[in-house]
Amino acid sequence: MTNSSVQRDILQKHSWLRIDPSDIQIDSKPHAKGGQADVITAILKRTIFGRGIQTRVAVKKLRYYGDTDNDKFSKSFVYEVDILAGLSHRNIVKLLGFLENLETGYACMVFTWEENGNVQEFLAKRACDIPERLSLVRLALLQTHAEHTLIEPILD
């Protein structure tokens, strides 16, 4: 079995998360930039019980350049979708779905929109003193450690 067929099988396992491109209106301007992706706001259109619902979402769009290793790009995207599809925790942003065309280097993950942004943005909006900031960092590190070592969560 080739790498691309393994990746296709993994994405097929999560086909219920696949979003039709016509169901999402992605802004052109990035909200934030990371090392390998841009975060863009979008409007996701869904029909629930016969009613059209529009929801603001965050889209993580992976960057693909002409010299990008397509196999590495595809593996990274598929691995992340596979991991995130199985996560459900109140402190982890929820994966709503994905859009992709791995042959052309187009790969996006769609998440719930978190109004407070990331930790840095959240702290910048608040007037926290140093002890409160250190306490928040400590709690975040303890929770991350618990999740990465697969022990019972410290915070609930």
Side-chain angles (χ1 to χ4, degrees):
M1 207 180 236
T2 66
N3 281 338
S4 61
S5 63
V6 169
Q7 293 164 8
R8 286 274 153 227
D9 288 348
I10 292 170
L11 290 179
Q12 184 59 37
K13 177 175 79 170
H14 302 297
S15 62
W16 58 277
L17 287 169
R18 188 176 300 278
I19 294 174
D20 187 303
S22 65
D23 290 338
I24 193 161
Q25 180 184 347
I26 300 174
D27 294 341
S28 59
K29 187 176 83 168
H31 177 76
K33 292 183 177 234
Q36 298 178 7
D38 297 323
V39 176
I40 305 163
T41 58
I43 300 297
L44 179 62
K45 298 173 273 181
R46 296 284 172 116
T47 302
I48 301 174
F49 300 117
R51 292 185 54 204
I53 306 290
Q54 294 189 359
T55 308
R56 186 176 184 195
V57 294
V59 176
K60 178 180 178 181
K61 183 177 182 207
L62 276 63
R63 285 192 216 105
Y64 186 89
Y65 303 105
D67 61 346
T68 300
D69 179 334
N70 190 280
D71 190 48
K72 185 176 177 182
F73 177 85
S74 299
K75 281 182 190 176
S76 175
F77 173 74
V78 171
Y79 177 76
E80 191 168 355
V81 167
D82 195 33
I83 294 295
L84 291 170
L87 292 179
S88 177
H89 190 280
R90 66 185 181 101
N91 293 329
I92 299 175
V93 68
K94 181 174 176 44
L95 176 69
L96 298 175
F98 66 91
L99 301 97
E100 58 80 28
N101 184 338
L102 296 178
E103 289 76 30
T104 63
Y106 182 75
C108 297
M109 288 170 269
V110 179
F111 298 93
T112 54
W113 177 259
E114 298 299 329
E115 206 57 49
N116 288 324
N118 61 32
V119 173
Q120 183 179 1
E121 292 167 346
F122 174 75
L123 290 174
K125 291 177 188 174
R126 294 177 50 116
C128 299
D129 56 14
I130 296 299
E132 186 178 5
R133 285 176 182 251
L134 290 175
S135 175
L136 288 170
V137 169
R138 180 180 175 277
L139 290 173
L141 288 172
L142 287 171
Q143 184 67 32
T144 302
H145 176 72
E147 291 165 1
H148 284 266
T149 56
L150 300 176
I151 62 174
E152 289 298 315
I154 295 168
L155 305 174
D156 234 1

